[in-house]
């Protein structure tokens, strides 16, 4: 039986109705799953701004379009065919100051975004640590700095994909108290 507090809380779908979400790491393993789930499960979602960087000869726009055209999004295309039109690609890089966003894109985010999902990370551990620090620490700082500027921010969600609570033999689906106070 749900408690009185649980009874008044909206579900995820209702809570995200009409909101505009900015996501980093959208072309990665976790980010792609988040994007697909949001587009398929939140029919009244506002815009979904996906931060992506160009890679080799491929632009940020081309990378995201290719991802959205992949079989991974086939269920989304079947169940919510108009949802892919809610995606706006924002060229940038988590490792650059200000996420490498143009002034126009920063203004767009500041005026419209209500939720930030930061799921970008460097998960290749065969490279020097400076690369992981630049992406995982500086990238998170850059995402937080943007979030602080947003006029209508409701939530900043940070997703970590590697070595979370690695000191535990079993990791449960609970919120753990941090060993170090967050700053």
């Amino acid at each position: 039986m749900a408690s009185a507090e649980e009874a008044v809380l909206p579900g995820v779908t209702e809570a995200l109705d009409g909101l505009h979400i900015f996501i980093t790491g959208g072309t990665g393993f976790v980010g792609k799953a988040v994007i697909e789930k949001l587009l398929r499960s939140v029919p009244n979602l506002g815009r979904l701004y996906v931060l992506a960087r160009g890679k080799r000869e491929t632009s940020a726009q081309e990378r995201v379009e290719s991802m959205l055209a992949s079989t991974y999004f086939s269920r989304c295309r079947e169940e919510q065919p108009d949802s892919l039109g809610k995606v706006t690609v924002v060229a940038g890089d988590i490792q650059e100051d200000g996420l490498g966003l143009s002034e126009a894109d920063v203004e767009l985010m500041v005026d419209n975004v209500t939720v930030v999902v930061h799921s970008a990370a460097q998960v290749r551990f065969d490279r020097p640590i400076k690369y992981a620090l630049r992406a995982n620490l500086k990238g998170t700082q850059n995402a937080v700095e943007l979030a602080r500027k947003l006029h209508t921010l409701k939530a900043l969600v940070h997703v970590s994909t590697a070595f979370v609570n690695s000191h535990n033999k079993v990791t449960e689906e609970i919120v753990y108290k941090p060993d170090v106070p967050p700053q």
Side-chain angles (χ1 to χ4, degrees):
M1 180 170 194
S3 71
E5 183 178 313
E6 291 172 325
V8 298
L9 293 175
V12 173
T13 299
E14 295 81 19
L16 296 176
D17 272 357
L19 298 187
H20 304 292
I21 299 174
F22 174 74
I23 184 167
T24 67
T27 58
F29 181 75
V30 172
K32 185 179 357 181
V34 170
I35 290 171
E36 195 278 340
K37 183 68 172 173
L38 287 170
L39 292 174
R40 186 170 44 82
S41 302
V42 186
N44 296 322
L45 183 69
R47 303 270 342 136
L48 185 58
Y49 299 97
V50 178
L51 180 75
R53 61 184 163 83
K55 205 172 189 181
R56 294 180 197 93
E57 301 295 318
T58 309
S59 71
Q61 183 74 34
E62 291 167 328
R63 287 185 70 205
V64 174
E65 286 175 359
S66 175
M67 177 188 75
L68 295 174
S70 72
T71 57
Y72 192 85
F73 285 84
S74 60
R75 183 173 171 198
C76 184
R77 284 189 295 276
E78 286 175 20
E79 295 178 16
Q80 298 291 337
D82 296 334
S83 67
L84 298 179
K86 296 178 180 187
V87 175
T88 298
V89 179
V90 181
D93 187 331
I94 61 164
Q95 298 179 63
E96 294 181 24
D97 289 338
L99 297 172
L101 298 175
S102 69
E103 286 182 31
D105 284 339
V106 169
E107 187 175 321
L108 183 66
M109 301 301 109
V110 166
D111 291 340
N112 295 292
V113 171
T114 45
V115 176
V116 174
V117 177
H118 176 55
S119 68
Q122 173 58 256
V123 293
R124 287 187 53 198
F125 299 107
D126 59 344
R127 302 182 72 201
I129 193 146
K130 69 180 182 180
Y131 297 109
L133 285 174
R134 191 179 316 144
N136 300 345
L137 181 62
K138 183 66 175 165
T140 300
Q141 288 173 334
N142 288 334
V144 169
E145 286 173 15
L146 175 66
R148 285 184 172 148
K149 295 176 184 177
L150 303 180
H151 295 158
T152 59
L153 181 68
K154 291 187 177 206
L156 167 61
V157 179
H158 178 254
V159 179
S160 184
T161 58
F163 305 112
V164 177
N165 296 305
S166 62
H167 60 285
N168 295 335
K169 290 185 187 227
V170 175
T171 302
E172 299 178 42
E173 290 190 26
I174 62 172
V175 177
Y176 287 89
K177 184 177 178 185
D179 294 333
V180 179
Q183 298 178 15

